[in-house]
Amino acid sequence: MKKFLALLLTLALMLGTLAACGGGGGGEESSDGGGEGGVQVGIVLPTKDEPRWLQDEASFTTALESAGFTSEVMFSQGSTATELSNVESLVEKGVKVLVICAQDGAAAGAAVQAAKDAGVTVVCYDRLITGTDAVDYYVTFDSFGVGKAQGQYLIDKYAGKKDVPLYLFSGAKTDNNAFIFFSGAWSVLNKAVADGQFKIQNCDAIADYVGKELDADKDHDALSKVLGTIDTNWDFNTAKTLAEAALQSGEKGDVAILAPNDGTARAIADAFSADNAVTSYAVTGQDAELASLKYIQDDKQSMTVWKNTATLAKTTCDMVSEILGGGTPKTDATYNNQKKDVPSIQAEIVVVDKAKLEELVKNGDFSQDDIDNAK
Ligand code: BGC
């Protein structure tokens, strides 16, 4: 009887493992040595200094471990050179699949080429690596949708108003996503500016594109010029300095602020709330970092876009499973990386304002304690 129960338990565990990762062909590899004695999946993330990427690390570890894959996560800490040596060391450890979120999308070509030369399948994660054909797949969120939701939030917030001062800030120009986010936001804001709802305060370079959309691929050069004047480099201090500089000459009162992500949103919000001539502000964000959920709760940040890293890690895990099993992963989109159309999977996003946050906390998606204790 005991033996029978043990057998049942083993079967249940095996089924659970397969279900955790879509039941792909790689699931049967041993979890303590990667089938051939090495690490099966190498994951390279850009930095430990932003909570967003620590969320990804945790989600990957859970998803891949429970699917029975051996994996190792390495951080590039803002350096393309470290990124390259991380990839080289993972290749030496025998990884079959490299999942990489590049520090700098154009400079990561050498790293993925090294992996490709060693026969490794390369999956770009969240950020597309550009200008190389050494990438096989791309798993991402709907980045255009993120930007569009940010722009639409500001439009709805100031519905019926005229000449609302609008401040624009972007993500790092070295990150292809920054182009897509901005393009998404501008796809709705351009009309609102043309209709007189908003008056842009800190970005002369966008003047030629009022009433026109800017496509992240086709209008890359134009966008590059625009982003060049409002680039936070995804860095809190740069964001704060840019915000303070913009406030020197910008109109105040009730203002709208397009901030690209949560870290920069909090820095920019701090600068705006320190200015007595700013009577109120609406500021966007993304990532649902706990510190920003706290800001939203305290009315210091208006919204964020939750990109559930558990969903993305699970999607990637399913893809890894297919690849290791010798199959071809299913994809639902393509992204052009200036060298090829990369087969991609795009995960859904969730827009979170104060009311939605209350709902998510009630649902158990976020814990009130975690939010209250966020730094
Ligand atoms: C990611 C964002 C993140 C930003 C800064 C982007 O590529 O998509 O979620 O906030 O990088 O790290």
Side-chain angles (χ1 to χ4, degrees), residues 237-258:
N237 295 325
T238 311
K240 188 154 183 272
T241 309
L242 273 182
E244 284 164 355
L247 279 165
Q248 302 263 318
S249 53
E251 290 172 39
K252 317 256 170 101
D254 300 331
V255 307
I257 310 162
L258 178 77

Side-chain angles (χ1 to χ4, degrees), residues 13-329:
L13 281 174
M14 279 171 69
L15 283 176
T17 292
L18 287 176
C21 194
E28 71 279 7
E29 299 263 3
S30 92
S31 61
D32 59 353
E36 289 162 24
V39 180
Q40 291 171 296
V41 189
I43 296 143
V44 178
L45 297 175
T47 178
K48 272 188 174 177
D49 298 338
E50 291 174 41
R52 155 76 215 261
W53 306 112
L54 298 176
Q55 289 173 18
D56 292 84
E57 180 192 28
S59 299
F60 264 121
T61 309
T62 310
L64 289 166
E65 254 176 29
S66 63
F69 296 123
T70 49
S71 64
E72 184 170 334
V73 180
M74 299 185 92
F75 287 91
S76 311
Q77 291 308 101
S79 154
T80 297
T82 308
E83 185 173 76
L84 177 61
S85 62
N86 283 345
V87 170
E88 284 167 347
S89 101
L90 289 166
V91 167
E92 260 171 45
K93 288 179 185 171
V95 296
K96 299 280 177 292
V97 182
L98 172 70
V99 177
I100 175 166
C101 181
Q103 167 53 34
D104 174 328
V112 287
Q113 190 61 55
K116 202 79 216 125
D117 291 347
V120 173
T121 302
V122 176
V123 179
C124 293
Y125 179 78
D126 195 279
R127 298 178 179 170
L128 185 61
I129 296 174
T130 52
T132 173
D133 46 24
V135 294
D136 297 292
Y137 299 102
Y138 180 33
V139 183
T140 186
F141 289 99
D142 174 6
S143 298
F144 186 87
V146 170
K148 192 169 172 190
Q150 294 173 331
Q152 193 59 46
Y153 181 89
L154 297 176
I155 292 171
D156 295 344
K157 181 87 190 167
Y158 287 104
K161 299 273 187 319
K162 283 280 169 215
D163 293 334
V164 177
L166 171 64
Y167 291 82
L168 301 173
F169 301 93
S170 78
K173 262 180 70 181
T174 50
D175 178 359
N176 191 57
N177 284 348
F179 288 76
I180 309 176
F181 298 142
F182 192 85
S183 164
W186 192 245
S187 74
V188 287
L189 285 174
N190 84 79
K191 297 181 210 98
V193 176
D195 293 347
Q197 184 182 4
F198 294 113
K199 265 170 82 182
I200 295 173
Q201 300 299 313
N202 65 328
C203 183
D204 294 343
I206 198 90
D208 290 346
Y209 306 101
V210 171
K212 293 182 203 153
E213 296 201 19
L214 281 165
D215 183 88
D217 293 331
K218 284 191 231 105
D219 302 312
H220 198 269
D221 292 346
L223 269 172
S224 187
K225 284 202 188 103
V226 170
L227 266 52
T229 67
I230 52 171
D231 183 347
T232 61
N233 204 24
W234 294 131
D235 174 64
F236 323 132
N237 295 325
T238 311
K240 188 154 183 272
T241 309
L242 273 182
E244 284 164 355
L247 279 165
Q248 302 263 318
S249 53
E251 290 172 39
K252 317 256 170 101
D254 300 331
V255 307
I257 310 162
L258 178 77
N261 76 345
D262 282 351
T264 55
R266 295 193 300 278
I268 293 167
D270 290 349
F272 275 74
S273 51
D275 189 316
N276 290 332
V278 174
T279 40
S280 77
Y281 62 85
V283 64
T284 61
Q286 72 167 302
D287 292 335
E289 289 181 1
L290 288 170
S292 276
L293 298 183
K294 193 170 179 188
Y295 261 48
I296 291 176
Q297 202 173 263
D298 297 345
D299 296 315
K300 286 157 62 178
Q301 182 175 326
S302 317
M303 62 87 81
T304 186
V305 182
W306 182 29
K307 308 198 301 187
N308 190 342
T309 54
T311 309
L312 205 58
K314 162 82 171 69
T315 305
T316 312
C317 189
D318 289 345
M319 185 177 260
V320 164
S321 179
E322 271 297 321
I323 296 167
L324 291 178
T328 306

